[in-house]
Amino acid sequence: MAAAPLPVAVLGAGAWGTAMACALAARGPATHRVTLWARAPALAHELQAQRQNGRYLPGCPLPPALEITSDLRAALAPVRAHAAAGLVLVATPTAGLRPTLQALAAQGLFAGTPLAWLCKGFERDTHAMAHQIVAAEWGEAALHAAGPLSGPSFAEEVARGLPTALTVAGPAPFCAQVTRVVHGGALRVYSTDDVLGVEIAGAVKNVLAIATGIAESLGLGLNARAALMTRGLAEITRLGVALGARAETFMGLTGMGDLILTCTGDLSRNRKVGLLLGRGVSLPTVLAQLGHVAEGVWSAPAVIARAQAAGVDMPLAQAVCDVLDGRSTPADALRRLLARDPKREALG
């Protein structure tokens, strides 16, 4: 007898949610039953009618097998019926994680059903990481079957079926289940138990991508970009180790890999924020032009708060925060960085 298709509920119909839903649904209804949940009924109707996400992922057709709904109960039904074989993928920005968890709880879905999140950032008001939000809403026990799915990945390329490597973090049985569901086709999945390292890397690299965008607009050259990325990786590692992560995590896909992609790729939202800020565009105008969430903008103050509490020096992240807050112009921030005293090179 053929195995039943793996049920997947992708919650959030932005670029990332749509891309992951496309990648999984493209494998066909015999292997995956994928439902994409859009919070707004109007968006769900638009996706059903046009069979593409014209707002967040234009030009990428939705696979025929992909189911779309704005009814959360309906989206969860296949996973609820086969919880041991399925997966809930939360594809909201970090700001949407807590209300999504609360909505899931209202539907009777709590700890136990495998749940992975794709967001990369700190919560704006609490400075909490995603796993801390999950623990606060569902209890620490939820983390036995939950964790981040991260790595160097642009939504558009995932939707187009281009090769992408991701890392899932959490307990071994949970990682095995996520790998079983997601790994295949053009998606390759690695695993680790260093949830802290994966989440810190994912959040801080977005802040540093803003820095490299600013540097590019200022015409600082490729040498400067390489220096920013390398010393930025040192800042990520220092903070991560101080908060309890393992240094080697930052040499992997979710650290160095994602940093390289976000700081150099033309599809990077956070790099685009830096490019526009470096040209003198105000932050409100930048965000209005972007039309998408740039997690680095909201994570920067939390990164600095965490660093200060841990006694960690992060001059590049601080410079970005100063520019975002209007305390410094990009040119002034550059001058302060160049005026710093020389030091021995160290990764951590």
Side-chain angles (χ1 to χ4, degrees):
M1 178 182 291
L6 300 172
V8 184
V10 181
L11 309 183
W16 237 127
T18 304
M20 285 299 294
C22 286
L24 297 177
R27 297 176 192 175
T31 61
H32 286 72
R33 180 181 178 183
V34 184
T35 305
L36 177 62
W37 175 74
R39 181 177 57 84
L43 178 57
H45 291 190
E46 180 182 317
L47 297 182
Q48 290 169 336
Q50 299 182 1
R51 298 308 296 181
Q52 74 164 318
N53 193 332
R55 177 177 178 184
Y56 294 110
L57 208 59
C60 295
L62 304 182
L66 178 60
E67 302 174 33
I68 302 161
T69 184
S70 60
D71 183 337
L72 184 57
R73 181 176 294 276
L76 296 172
V79 176
R80 199 191 300 272
H82 303 281
L87 178 66
V88 176
L89 271 177
V90 179
T92 67
T94 303
L97 178 58
R98 192 182 296 273
T100 300
L101 293 170
Q102 292 168 350
L104 290 173
Q107 294 292 335
L109 192 74
F110 292 96
T113 301
L115 180 142
W117 50 87
L118 305 176
C119 54
K120 302 173 182 179
F122 292 101
E123 194 171 41
R124 187 175 183 182
D125 295 330
T126 68
H127 300 169
M129 286 176 269
H131 77 277
Q132 294 172 321
I133 298 171
V134 173
E137 291 296 327
W138 284 12
E140 290 285 342
L143 298 178
H144 292 302
L149 181 61
S150 188
S153 46
F154 286 141
E156 181 180 319
E157 295 192 357
V158 170
R160 290 169 54 200
L162 298 179
T164 301
L166 302 170
T167 296
V168 59
F174 164 73
C175 289
Q177 175 62 10
V178 174
T179 301
R180 179 174 177 239
V181 174
V182 178
H183 184 91
L187 292 179
R188 183 168 182 82
V189 179
Y190 295 80
S191 62
T192 178
D193 62 356
D194 189 6
V195 173
L196 267 172
V198 167
E199 292 199 330
I200 291 165
V204 184
K205 61 90 184 178
N206 285 328
V207 179
L208 297 170
I210 297 175
T212 57
I214 292 173
E216 185 170 341
S217 277
L218 294 178
L220 303 186
L222 299 179
N223 294 346
R225 183 171 70 181
L228 279 171
M229 292 169 60
T230 306
R231 296 315 302 161
L233 183 60
E235 290 193 11
I236 295 174
T237 306
R238 281 200 300 269
L239 179 63
V241 170
L243 295 181
R246 295 197 300 270
E248 60 264 29
T249 298
F250 304 104
M251 296 295 101
L253 288 168
T254 59
M256 181 187 296
D258 212 356
L259 180 68
I260 292 171
L261 181 71
T262 313
C263 288
T264 63
D266 290 337
L267 295 175
S268 170
R269 301 173 191 170
N270 292 283
R271 176 174 168 270
K272 185 174 181 180
V273 169
L275 286 168
L276 293 172
L277 289 173
R279 295 169 188 160
V281 181
S282 69
L283 182 58
T285 302
V286 169
L287 298 179
Q289 289 183 13
L290 197 63
H292 294 259
V293 173
E295 293 272 25
V297 174
W298 312 123
S299 291
V303 169
I304 295 305
R306 289 255 181 176
Q308 290 174 344
V312 174
D313 186 30
M314 300 186 70
L316 293 175
Q318 181 65 67
V320 171
C321 205
D322 290 344
V323 171
L324 291 173
D325 288 346
R327 294 193 300 265
S328 176
T329 66
D332 287 340
L334 170 64
R335 280 191 286 269
R336 284 197 297 273
L337 288 171
L338 292 176
R340 286 172 56 84
D341 292 335
K343 295 183 178 180
R344 288 182 59 83
E345 183 176 35
L347 180 61

